[in-house]
Amino acid sequence: MTSRKFLATAFCCLFFFCATLCVTSAFAQPPAANEMPSVIQVPTEAQPSPHFDATAATNAYLAQIPAEKTARSDAYFEGGYWLILWDFLYGVVIALLLLNLRWSARMRDLSERVTRFKPVHTFVYWLQYLVLTTVLVFPLSVYEDYFREHKYGLATQTFGPWMGDQLKMLAVNLVLGGVLAIVLFGVVRRWPHTWWIRASVVSIVFVVVVILITPVYIVPIFNTPKILNDPKIVDPILSMARANGIPANNVYEIDASKQTTKMSANVSGFGNTMRITLNDNLLRRGSPEEIQAVMGHEMGHYVLNHIYKDIIFLSIVIVLAFAYLYLGLGWALQHWGERWRIRGVGDTAVLPLVMLLFAIFGFVITPVMNTWTRTQEYEADMYGLNTSRQPDGFAQAAIHLGEYRKMNPGPIEEWIFFDHPSGRNRIYAAMRWKAENLKLFMEQQQSSGGATAAAPAASGAVDKK
Ligand SMILES: [Zn+2]
């Protein structure tokens, strides 16, 4: 269900924005070829001692990852850099084809023959556009989402169910995108000069509504979320939630293993629909310490109001995108409008041009979007460490996530491509936290009189030194 629309249409852009706050992922399910090790014993260098050194502890954790696993996950992740480029170029080519071959104008003509009623006309155009572009993009989608995911041992679906999910996604796009297209084209026709600011407002409202309904109406189309009721897992989590003022009565579990081996958890929705969800891969493979560390991170998103901050940030991005669209459309239509048989901004035939301009915008601001998200992820990491007090569980989660993320990128690479801190930086942050709160672990070690396999159980109170 990863959205990888090469055509960054307004719609796809919005969907991209709407993606739920991501979280940790690692994966799992035996027997995945690229499984990272589950570190049962904390490495010697990371054991509490008067000589504890955060860098040495970080290196000791990283040293547990076999070289061939690192090579494999690096190849997977770095391949993703190129996919960003190919997706973009492929989308540009398709948009230019639809415009220059005047297929877009023909789809407009056809929709006008069906009806003169403008909203229906817009929907009929959208239907043709969506189906045609989905078919044209299909070779790339099937490679990226199916064959490549299988090649790296990350996918669990056979082709039939995968295709079923694609069709469901198409239906969701048809309905939500259709509604958005009808409203946006209505706005453009009604206010030919100030449409871009009004369209921004409509799009922001759309994003908010989609975020609100996603956990309750969209997610269940693909998976079956249910309330998690294993007291061994839920009790420490709810205890941690209460200690942090989170009014959570339930934690949700989702059957992500239907599609993927990746471990993950997330916070989605807002207001009444806000919920924390753990996927079944995480529950099966994660140690209790690791699950608590991940939950602390998720609670960080919640307590730090990341969803609301995201909405504000996205609102700014959307306004900028529409201002740029307003200028870009005016310029392009003046030059090529006649050749493409597009009558104006309110003509549905303009849609491929809109998608083309949004694709360029989305491509250029990729590092900005990644940096926004990565900054929030870092904040959630810090919150999670303070809350769960599980630096070793956190390090283990970072290693599991390394199954599909490069562990040790260069700083510029991380800035451009990473929407989470890199594995190395996450482990280092955990070990630095451990070094600065070493007293907690030394006492634990003395009272248990032995080696530490795990940090103290989570409780709410954070020892602030
Ligand atoms: Zn997160």
Side-chain angles (χ1 to χ4, degrees), residues 21-24 265 297-298 301 306 376-377 380-381 420 426:
L21 278 185
C22 78
V23 178
T24 328
H297 170 101
E298 298 311 324
H301 284 310
H306 282 168
Q376 287 197 330
E377 293 300 332
D381 282 357
H420 283 68
R426 292 184 120 173

Side-chain angles (χ1 to χ4, degrees), residues 197-255:
I197 189 72
R198 293 165 196 274
S200 305
V201 174
V202 167
S203 302
I204 292 164
V205 171
F206 179 81
V207 166
V208 170
V209 171
V210 171
I211 293 175
L212 186 67
I213 66 171
T214 292
V216 183
Y217 295 105
I218 309 288
V219 171
I221 296 174
F222 301 92
N223 291 88
T224 312
K226 60 178 189 202
I227 292 173
L228 185 60
N229 51 21
D230 177 353
K232 278 207 307 290
I233 295 173
V234 174
D235 287 353
I237 290 172
L238 291 183
S239 171
M240 196 157 78
R242 282 189 291 274
N244 287 277
I246 297 172
N249 297 317
N250 292 314
V251 177
Y252 287 79
E253 173 186 359
I254 195 161
D255 54 343

Side-chain angles (χ1 to χ4, degrees), residues 160-171:
W162 179 83
M163 196 64 209
D165 276 356
Q166 300 299 303
L167 292 174
K168 287 179 188 172
M169 181 55 84
L170 184 66

Side-chain angles (χ1 to χ4, degrees), residues 27-41:
F27 13 122
Q29 228 197 13
N34 58 332
E35 257 184 29
M36 286 288 181
S38 295
V39 182
I40 305 300
Q41 199 64 32

